[in-house]
Amino acid sequence: MTSDPAAFERYRRSPNDWTTLPRLLLGTVIVVLFWAATTAGVLFGGAYAFFAWQGSSGVASPTQEFLASPVGILAALASFAGIWIGLWIAMRWVHREKLSALLGVSHRVSRSGFLKGLIAVLITSLVSEILLYLLEPEIARGTISLSAWLLFLIPIVALTLLQTSSEEVLFRGYLLRGLADRFKSPFIWALLPGLLFTSLHWSTSSSAAINACVLASIAAFALLLTLVVYATGNLGAALGAHLGNNLTGFLLISHQESYNSFALFNAKPLEGPGWTTSDAVLIALVGIACSLLTIVLLLHPRSPFRVTAWQKA
């Protein structure tokens, strides 16, 4: 495996004197507040407008019904704009830095890193889907027609990029960079953001065993994203990898019943019944193995997708 510690060292030392732990905590609170406010506004306001327009009444859970609809999924993805707004305010007024400083020392995303991360994860996602199909060969054509899928393709890609980029800039940018500037130990600057990111994927509608397997897979994926940032000192590869992972689930094969409106195919939903503990273990192993394979593709010196440190010319 290859990495450039000097590249990450430049990245971790790039914050100015305004990046202190109290200010980092204050900035995080600002981001969370704007994220929560945007989410509440988009989802509850969207649900009210949606059912008022549809003329529906007597729905037991209008917000859940709205979220399960195609418009609701688009609104849920758009709500992640709140993270970007919060980060801009935190960087501008709390840390006195440009928001672009979170992308890397060059203040720009590595395009080659982004493309390599995207392609590598699309490859390993294909491997993952084949293995999951062998485990549970229950797959059906989605309800969306091909013409509608093509119509929504660009909006879904754009909004998924909004969602994944906001998470990467927050967890692998703002938090990781700020903590790495104050602490040398990766058990703090890498582990804490990774645990926060992983915990957000807990699902109340899934069993404990499935939640455990999903969290294990997400933790392995978070490790992958952190490693490529460490190897390059830039968020480019992490941005591409995260986008590729989520696009696979949103547009190609969905494993979530509540987010399958735009997927061409639907696999057995993870939040559904019938999964055993052994199934959960195997699913976790598939997720971990594919994240490790992605790490090899992105960091092995002989890989055509190897990412390297990137700086503005």
Side-chain angles (χ1 to χ4, degrees):
M1 301 300 169
T2 61
S3 64
D4 186 352
F8 182 73
E9 193 65 22
R10 291 190 296 270
Y11 181 58
R12 74 186 295 176
R13 296 303 178 195
S14 61
N16 58 24
D17 293 337
W18 291 84
T19 304
T20 62
L21 287 180
R23 288 178 177 273
L24 189 65
L25 179 60
L26 174 60
T28 303
V29 171
I30 290 172
V31 173
V32 171
L33 288 176
F34 273 89
W35 187 9
T38 305
T39 300
V42 169
L43 298 188
F44 290 107
Y48 177 82
F50 178 75
F51 283 104
W53 177 66
Q54 292 279 7
S56 300
S57 61
V59 179
S61 180
T63 302
Q64 291 300 322
E65 291 286 336
F66 172 65
L67 284 175
S69 69
V71 176
I73 294 175
L74 296 175
L77 292 174
S79 69
F80 282 84
I83 295 180
W84 276 108
I85 297 171
L87 284 171
W88 181 83
I89 292 174
M91 291 297 288
R92 176 66 178 85
W93 300 106
V94 177
H95 302 289
R96 309 288 180 87
E97 286 191 276
K98 292 183 178 180
L99 179 60
S100 58
L102 300 177
L103 302 176
V105 178
S106 62
H107 289 219
R108 298 173 68 178
V109 171
S110 167
R111 293 182 181 179
S112 63
F114 179 88
L115 289 174
K116 289 176 180 178
L118 176 64
I119 295 171
V121 167
L122 289 177
I123 292 172
T124 55
S125 291
L126 175 61
V127 174
S128 173
E129 293 302 334
I130 292 173
L131 295 175
L132 291 175
Y133 178 79
L134 294 176
L135 171 65
E136 181 55 61
E138 180 181 319
I139 189 169
R141 178 70 170 83
T143 57
I144 190 170
S145 66
L146 183 58
S147 58
W149 186 85
L150 291 172
L151 179 65
F152 281 103
L153 180 61
I154 293 178
I156 284 291
V157 171
L159 288 173
T160 304
L161 179 59
L162 171 67
Q163 178 231 341
T164 55
S165 63
S166 68
E167 292 181 351
E168 286 310 302
V169 175
L170 173 59
F171 292 104
R172 256 66 63 180
Y174 184 74
L175 291 176
L176 187 151
R177 174 178 177 261
L179 290 172
D181 182 52
R182 312 303 300 180
F183 302 98
K184 287 186 174 295
S185 174
F187 289 104
I188 297 177
W189 57 257
L191 187 60
L192 288 181
L195 287 175
L196 286 173
F197 173 75
T198 301
S199 65
L200 291 176
H201 292 80
W202 176 273
S203 173
T204 57
S205 60
S206 299
S207 66
I210 290 297
N211 263 314
C213 86
V214 169
L215 294 182
S217 299
I218 296 296
F221 190 62
L223 172 63
L224 151 69
L225 299 172
T226 302
L227 282 176
V228 294
V229 173
Y230 178 79
T232 63
N234 191 276
L235 294 189
L239 289 167
H242 200 162
L243 178 64
N245 179 79
N246 286 25
L247 283 180
T248 301
F250 282 132
L251 289 173
L252 299 179
I253 303 179
S254 175
H255 294 269
Q256 292 181 283
E257 193 171 16
S258 55
Y259 290 99
N260 63 7
S261 295
F262 297 103
L264 287 174
F265 300 95
N266 294 326
K268 181 179 178 179
L270 291 174
E271 65 266 36
W275 295 105
T276 65
T277 301
S278 59
D279 290 334
V281 171
L282 290 174
I283 292 171
L285 291 176
V286 168
I288 294 170
C290 287
S291 287
L292 293 177
L293 177 58
T294 308
I295 292 172
V296 172
L297 287 176
L298 292 176
L299 297 181
H300 195 280
R302 295 186 179 180
S303 171
F305 303 107
R306 180 173 68 92
V307 293
T308 56
W310 182 88
Q311 298 181 45
K312 183 178 178 180

